Amino acid sequence: MTSDRIPLRSSLSSLISLRIAMIALIIGLPFALPSLSFVRHLDNQLLDFRATTAPRSATGNFAFVAIDTKSLTQVGTWPWPREVHAELVDKLVSAGARDIFLDIDFSTPSRPEGDARLAQALSDAGGGVILPMFRQPFGARSGDPLALTAPLPLLAEHAWPALVDVSLDPDGLMRSFPGMEIIDGIPTQSAPAVLAGYSNARTGRLKIDFSIRPETVPTYSVADVLSGAVTGESLRDRSIVVGAYATELKDQFAVPVYGILSGPMLHVLAAETLVQDRLLTPVPIEPIALLLAALIIAYALTLRRLPLAVPIAASFALLTIAEAAVFLLYKHEALVIYTATLWIMLACGLIMLMAEKIDLSGWLAEIAITENRDIRRVLKRVINDSVDPVIVLDQKLTLLDASQTTSRMLELDEPIAHGTHLAEFVPDAILDGVLRLEAKHLAEPHRVHSDQFEVDLSAPTRNRHLDVVITISPFESLGGQGLSAVGTHVVCVTLRDVTARRLYAAKLEEMSRIDDLTGLLNRRGLTDAMVETGGDFTIFAIDLHRFSHLNETLGRQKGDSVLQAVAARLRRNLGMNGLAARIAGDVLCFAAPGSRTREGLEETAEQLLALFDTPFGVDGIKIQINVRVGACSGSSDLGDPGKWIEAAEFALSDAKRVGGSGFRAYEPASALRRTRSRLLEAEMRGALDQGQFFLLYQPQVALASGRLIGAEALLRWQHPTLGMISPGEFIGIAEANGFICDLGQHMFKEACRAAMSWPAHVSVAVNISPVQFLRGDVLSDIRQALTLSGLAPHRLHVEITESIFLERSDDLLLKLGALHALGVSIALDDFGTGYSSLSYISNLPLDKLKIDQSFVRDMVSDPSAQAIVQAVSTLAHGLGLKVVCEGIENALQSEMLAAMGCEEGQGYLFGRPQSARQILEVAAAHSLLPDPKLSGITDLARAV
């Protein structure tokens, strides 16, 4: 009887062990499943199904202007001349488009006239055009660092660069886009974020909502836009994305739901995702999975005796209800719950219940034996037929098995016999690698060890390069009952012939470093050469002055010959260790080892300039070339050698401003100013939203009585880290990128709101930028500000500058007339310093002329300044205009201006810029003029 209980006790023990193992498996699944590739694949499939089942339409805020087959046929061979892109930008701007995103690579120069034409179109667009920049591997190897590819500086100066990096998921599909990345320490938004006005500063990638249907995005052909077939109404007030649609251009990506989409359409869907607030937010699945695991375990321990139909029905009901809830959360709240883990856990729970009800032990054992036998046959076949030789060794390094290709790869005369020691048929380098890895294995015998290296194999026919992978794995017999006959471990050696790949990579590497035309190094080749050489270098960037004009005159073929002649002369004179490169179309570079003092820089630069004193002979023609030189003494203080070249180009930009041949050395302060400008431009929009911009007001008084009659609104920027930013610095940046229109709207609203708290006789004056006046909707902005604040129109005065009159158009007169008809007073600011003519001013609906402070400042001591002020005053009164004088700093100036008939004035004599509350306090004063009894100022003013 005792012997009968032993098998029973053994079976019970096995059952308990099985149950514990299954419970441990269920508890571990919530942590293991989400990271498995097939689970992620199932989750992605479920998410794609939800997106398909809950389609959404695009907002219509964005339109896709496609470079399709029709456009390629009509315009011509790709890439198009830059003039075509410029014409397209002009068409879109004239149609009233908002932002324009040209999803086209402009990082390399084209014809200089084409680049200049496109730069002019971008400038005319007022900074409303977005150009792409992207990062790609710096070298041919996958592990090389990423290099930034950006638009040409000539184009980027008039546009808004934005990031268009593409990142694919492990399954090869594109599902996300960057919101913002830090590039060279500067926050840089992606193109979709700029298009959507997305101001969140978080970095990282954001998921695209593919429930938005691409077919609902308005799409037009570039050819139709250029021909005028697309009406302005179709493009007005829409952000436009221009990019490739034609299959020939290969700008297409594999995506969920739709299979293949063009890159520009993906940018539109990403922007739509932001605009529709459809950023997909994943909900952590682990807590839900742990709760489900607890339910499964509780059921298995307490209710396992119920029929299997009960848990199967309950699982089906739970799956249906949960998927419905997950679908609704996705559709209405953009929440994503990855449920594949839950359903796999349910399946495992059901299997656990079935294992207790059905004795599967014998069946599973038979399956395992059959599978092991099949696996051995499969492995044998794989090893024998492998193109890349596979060598399997036992603990003693004798051959267990090898591919049929091994003998051919190692150029052996006959196949290798089983039991042959490794040292008898492989090169010493491979044997040494195996022995080194075995030494590591002896220190940690329970771990898998692997190593990879390349071997140069000298063979009778040709030299080859082999890629060798060695793996040592611990090995035990089935069930762990003692060691196997092969020993404690098994060694696997895999060989691959990489000779062709090495030669091809070397050829590509060489081609990527050399300029095809001149044979000099290119920018990358020069950078690599300096890194490989080590030490400091002095860099000279050499620009061939008016080289584009030479190309136009003699033809591009002659121009190429000139470049080759210049390169040859530079190569002959660069010295033993010097490096010469062509880093742009007409820009060469000379790098001399070692750093130099300022005197050394000038001496070497003079030598370089002297090389061009002698004309170049090209096909019997003598050609004289003038050059400009920018120099930088490179060291680790400036960063890597790539930064040295950029510093020399910064200096070259300064040298180009000098007439004739010239030289300039790199000044760090100039580079810092450019960096600071880029930083301010990147933070400007966020600063307005965060309330960093505010207004101060400078009093304006009646000169006859000294009574406060108004105040001029002055914009200020209080940066949280840089402190107070001067308007002279940020206004120019805002005008260049078009943000001045937003700042102008802000000023009108804030100034009108502040003026409502002042007495009724006190007005507020607001300056209008020429860019804001010509490109924005000033009339609409003013009407909105007056409506929101309730301010009477006559209390708002707008000040325009004479630079507006550079564009003397009927539209200008219509805008000024509409403002005047609204009841707003118009003043011409800084009169006498700009471009206006008297005949033109007489036709304008002006109310005031403001005399520039440069005349007022010198009028006491300068009779000519007095004469100018008197003449302007007489002119203004003859036209029925009031005269306002700026920059009044003392009582004598005030008295003299009043004596000349000037009605109003402002300056430090009456008060510095101050808050709206302080203006309210000043308004209570009877007069802001100093007491004339304190001095004989009045008599002196009259005498003058």
Side-chain angles (χ1 to χ4, degrees):
M1 186 167 181
T2 303
S3 61
D4 293 336
R5 290 180 178 177
I6 292 174
L8 181 61
R9 188 181 301 114
S10 177
S11 298
L12 182 60
S13 176
S14 298
L15 181 60
I16 293 174
S17 299
L18 177 62
R19 183 175 297 168
I20 293 173
M22 295 296 287
I23 291 175
L25 173 65
I26 292 296
I27 294 176
L29 287 178
F31 305 98
L33 286 176
S35 61
L36 299 181
S37 60
F38 82 93
V39 176
R40 291 198 299 269
H41 175 73
L42 289 176
D43 282 326
N44 287 332
Q45 292 296 315
L46 288 171
L47 181 60
D48 296 347
F49 173 77
R50 294 167 195 149
T52 305
T53 313
R56 305 177 68 88
S57 297
T59 60
N61 294 339
F62 307 94
F64 176 26
V65 175
I67 303 175
D68 52 7
T69 303
K70 176 181 178 181
S71 303
L72 293 176
T73 302
Q74 292 192 11
V75 175
T77 327
W78 184 265
W80 290 342
R82 296 279 162 86
E83 290 87 347
V84 175
H85 301 296
E87 181 184 359
L88 178 60
V89 171
D90 292 340
K91 292 274 188 181
L92 294 174
V93 170
S94 63
R98 289 188 297 178
D99 294 330
I100 302 170
F101 172 38
L102 297 180
D103 189 13
I104 301 166
D105 183 7
F106 293 117
S107 61
T108 56
S110 178
R111 294 183 304 103
E113 58 270 27
D115 290 341
R117 173 67 181 89
L118 180 54
Q120 182 61 46
L122 297 178
S123 176
D124 293 342
V129 179
I130 304 164
L131 295 183
M133 58 182 181
F134 51 92
R135 293 170 295 184
Q136 56 187 351
F138 191 71
R141 298 179 294 271
S142 61
D144 286 341
L146 295 178
L148 181 67
T149 299
L152 293 172
L154 175 64
L155 306 180
E157 182 181 0
H158 304 289
W160 183 275
L163 197 62
V164 294
D165 280 3
V166 173
S167 178
L168 302 180
D169 283 2
D171 60 358
L173 301 182
M174 180 180 173
R175 291 186 172 89
S176 61
F177 67 100
M180 186 192 76
E181 298 287 350
I182 304 300
I183 298 179
D184 293 337
I186 297 177
T188 303
Q189 287 185 297
S190 65
V194 174
L195 288 169
Y198 184 69
S199 59
N200 194 316
R202 64 177 179 177
T203 57
R205 302 193 68 81
L206 307 175
K207 288 189 175 296
I208 301 173
D209 183 13
F210 285 100
S211 67
I212 302 171
R213 312 301 293 178
E215 60 267 24
T216 63
V217 176
T219 303
Y220 310 99
S221 170
V222 168
D224 292 337
V225 174
L226 292 176
S227 66
V230 179
T231 64
E233 290 297 325
S234 301
L235 303 173
R236 183 170 294 113
D237 294 329
R238 281 179 170 163
S239 295
I240 307 299
V241 176
V242 180
Y245 178 79
T247 307
E248 298 91 347
L249 300 184
K250 295 182 172 54
D251 188 13
Q252 295 181 328
F253 299 92
V255 299
V257 182
Y258 310 112
I260 298 293
L261 284 180
S262 65
M265 180 58 74
L266 281 173
H267 291 307
V268 174
L269 293 185
E272 287 283 355
T273 299
L274 294 173
V275 169
Q276 297 190 34
D277 197 19
R278 290 290 299 174
L279 284 179
L280 303 182
T281 304
V283 177
I285 196 61
E286 288 81 2
I288 304 174
L290 285 173
L291 177 60
L292 180 60
L295 293 174
I296 293 173
I297 293 171
Y299 185 94
L301 294 178
T302 60
L303 303 175
R304 63 181 183 274
R305 298 186 183 277
L306 294 175
L308 279 175
V310 174
I312 292 174
S315 298
F316 180 80
L318 178 62
L319 186 150
T320 304
I321 296 172
E323 276 297 331
V326 169
F327 173 79
L328 293 175
L329 288 173
Y330 167 79
K331 180 177 181 181
H332 299 292
E333 301 299 332
L335 294 177
V336 177
I337 301 178
Y338 295 112
T339 55
T341 296
L342 305 179
W343 311 144
I344 294 175
M345 288 178 61
L346 274 178
C348 291
L350 291 174
I351 293 172
M352 183 176 72
L353 291 175
M354 292 173 62
E356 289 196 355
K357 292 184 177 292
I358 304 173
D359 186 8
L360 300 178
S361 301
W363 180 57
L364 292 176
E366 183 64 27
I367 290 177
I369 293 171
T370 305
E371 285 185 350
N372 285 336
R373 189 182 302 116
D374 291 341
I375 288 172
R376 285 195 298 272
R377 287 199 298 266
V378 169
L379 289 177
K380 180 69 176 176
R381 175 60 62 187
V382 169
I383 291 173
N384 284 339
D385 297 344
S386 175
V387 176
D388 294 329
V390 178
I391 304 171
V392 183
L393 310 166
D394 61 14
Q395 179 183 352
K396 298 178 182 179
L397 301 186
T398 58
L399 184 67
L400 293 176
D401 203 352
S403 304
Q404 296 177 358
T405 53
T406 304
S407 298
R408 185 169 62 255
M409 176 73 74
L410 298 176
E411 297 197 1
L412 302 175
D413 296 332
E414 55 186 21
I416 308 167
H418 283 234
T420 305
H421 193 273
L422 181 67
E424 298 182 26
F425 60 88
V426 298
D428 292 341
I430 298 179
L431 178 62
D432 292 341
V434 173
L435 295 176
R436 286 195 304 270
L437 196 60
E438 275 204 323
K440 293 182 180 179
H441 175 74
L442 291 176
E444 297 179 283
H446 300 295
R447 288 187 53 196
V448 176
H449 297 269
S450 183
D451 190 18
Q452 181 177 4
F453 55 89
E454 289 192 5
V455 172
D456 294 332
L457 183 64
S458 297
T461 56
R462 62 188 180 99
N463 294 332
R464 287 186 293 177
H465 305 284
L466 301 183
D467 182 66
V468 183
V469 179
I470 304 172
T471 303
I472 297 181
S473 306
F475 191 79
E476 294 182 355
S477 63
L478 184 63
Q481 304 298 320
L483 297 176
S484 169
V486 301
T488 60
H489 59 271
V490 63
V491 180
C492 180
V493 180
T494 305
L495 307 177
R496 172 169 292 182
D497 190 341
V498 294
T499 305
R501 188 179 71 187
R502 284 271 296 270
L503 294 175
Y504 182 66
K507 182 64 175 178
L508 285 180
E509 182 69 19
E510 182 66 21
M511 291 174 60
S512 68
R513 294 161 56 98
I514 301 298
D515 177 62
D516 292 338
L517 177 63
T518 62
L520 301 179
L521 296 170
N522 57 23
R523 182 185 295 268
R524 180 194 165 194
L526 177 60
T527 303
D528 291 347
M530 288 190 287
V531 171
E532 293 168 3
T533 304
D536 298 340
F537 274 83
T538 303
I539 314 297
F540 297 88
I542 307 166
D543 175 72
L544 307 183
H545 183 46
R546 291 178 59 81
F547 184 73
S548 60
H549 178 70
L550 185 147
N551 270 336
E552 294 172 358
T553 305
L554 301 179
R556 184 163 296 277
Q557 185 175 0
K558 286 284 195 304
D560 290 347
S561 299
V562 171
L563 278 175
Q564 291 168 342
V566 172
R569 184 178 295 181
L570 188 61
R571 192 186 294 112
R572 287 196 303 269
N573 292 273
L574 56 77
M576 292 294 294
N577 300 318
L579 302 171
R582 181 189 180 201
I583 59 177
D586 56 356
V587 179
L588 305 180
C589 191
F590 169 60
S595 60
R596 285 168 169 73
T597 62
R598 177 67 184 224
E599 292 75 13
L601 286 176
E602 293 183 0
E603 180 180 351
T604 307
E606 290 297 334
Q607 294 172 359
L608 286 173
L609 292 171
L611 292 179
F612 295 87
D613 290 343
T614 304
F616 292 85
V618 177
D619 297 337
I621 303 175
K622 296 294 184 180
I623 300 175
Q624 184 68 50
I625 298 178
N626 292 325
V627 298
R628 279 83 177 274
V629 177
C632 168
S633 187
S635 65
S636 58
D637 295 339
L638 284 178
D640 58 70
K643 300 293 185 183
W644 307 348
I645 300 174
E646 291 180 6
E649 290 178 304
F650 281 141
L652 179 61
S653 297
D654 294 335
K656 287 181 180 180
R657 301 187 181 97
V658 181
S661 297
F663 155 73
R664 283 292 183 273
Y666 171 68
E667 296 292 342
S670 176
L672 287 175
R673 284 193 299 271
R674 291 185 177 92
T675 302
R676 178 181 169 95
S677 295
R678 289 198 297 268
L679 176 62
L680 293 179
E681 183 175 10
E683 296 187 357
M684 192 170 286
R685 294 184 182 274
L688 181 60
D689 296 335
Q690 296 165 16
Q692 296 176 20
F693 287 99
F694 65 95
L695 296 182
L696 294 178
Y697 304 88
Q698 186 170 29
Q700 295 176 330
V701 303
L703 293 178
S705 63
R707 187 187 184 192
L708 180 73
I709 60 172
E712 180 179 359
L714 304 173
L715 186 63
R716 297 291 185 264
W717 182 1
Q718 180 65 49
H719 194 279
T721 57
L722 301 179
M724 190 67 73
I725 309 296
S726 167
E729 183 175 7
F730 70 77
I731 289 296
I733 299 173
E735 288 181 330
N737 66 13
F739 188 63
I740 192 66
C741 297
D742 300 88
L743 289 179
Q745 292 177 0
H746 173 73
M747 285 189 68
F748 281 129
K749 292 177 182 178
E750 288 297 309
C752 291
R753 183 182 59 81
M756 280 299 296
S757 64
W758 301 340
H761 70 279
V762 179
S763 62
V764 64
V766 180
N767 285 282
I768 301 180
S769 161
V771 174
Q772 178 190 2
F773 190 86
L774 297 174
R775 305 299 181 194
D777 192 349
V778 175
L779 187 61
S780 176
D781 294 342
I782 291 176
R783 284 175 174 164
Q784 185 180 23
L786 293 174
T787 301
L788 291 176
S789 64
L791 186 72
H794 72 274
R795 294 183 60 192
L796 175 62
H797 298 180
V798 296
E799 298 183 359
I800 60 176
T801 58
E802 298 181 32
S803 56
I804 290 178
F805 304 139
L806 282 173
E807 184 178 324
R808 300 188 176 186
S809 63
D810 295 337
D811 185 54
L812 171 65
L813 294 175
L814 290 175
K815 285 184 179 180
L816 289 175
L819 282 177
H820 202 266
L822 187 62
V824 175
S825 296
I826 304 174
L828 181 60
D829 198 8
D830 300 336
F831 182 73
T833 63
Y835 313 94
S836 57
S837 66
L838 299 182
S839 62
Y840 195 66
I841 290 176
S842 63
N843 296 323
L844 298 178
L846 300 176
D847 299 286
K848 298 179 181 180
L849 285 184
K850 292 191 72 173
I851 298 178
D852 186 70
Q853 59 181 341
S854 60
F855 300 115
V856 175
R857 184 185 305 115
D858 301 331
M859 65 177 296
V860 173
S861 59
D862 187 356
S864 61
Q866 296 176 23
I868 291 173
V869 173
Q870 184 64 67
V872 172
S873 176
T874 302
L875 169 66
H877 293 150
L879 295 174
L881 308 179
K882 291 183 179 180
V883 178
V884 184
C885 301
E886 297 180 300
I888 302 175
E889 297 182 353
N890 56 60
L892 182 56
Q893 292 173 340
S894 176
E895 290 282 355
M896 292 177 64
L897 292 170
M900 292 180 181
C902 299
E903 290 86 356
E904 300 174 9
Q906 68 182 80
Y908 286 173
L909 176 64
F910 311 115
R912 293 177 177 270
Q914 51 200 270
S915 67
R917 183 183 297 275
Q918 291 172 312
I919 291 294
L920 180 61
E921 296 172 357
V922 171
H926 178 69
S927 175
L928 299 181
L929 291 172
D931 190 349
K933 297 179 180 179
L934 298 179
S935 63
I937 293 176
T938 302
D939 294 336
L940 180 60
R942 291 172 179 168
V944 175

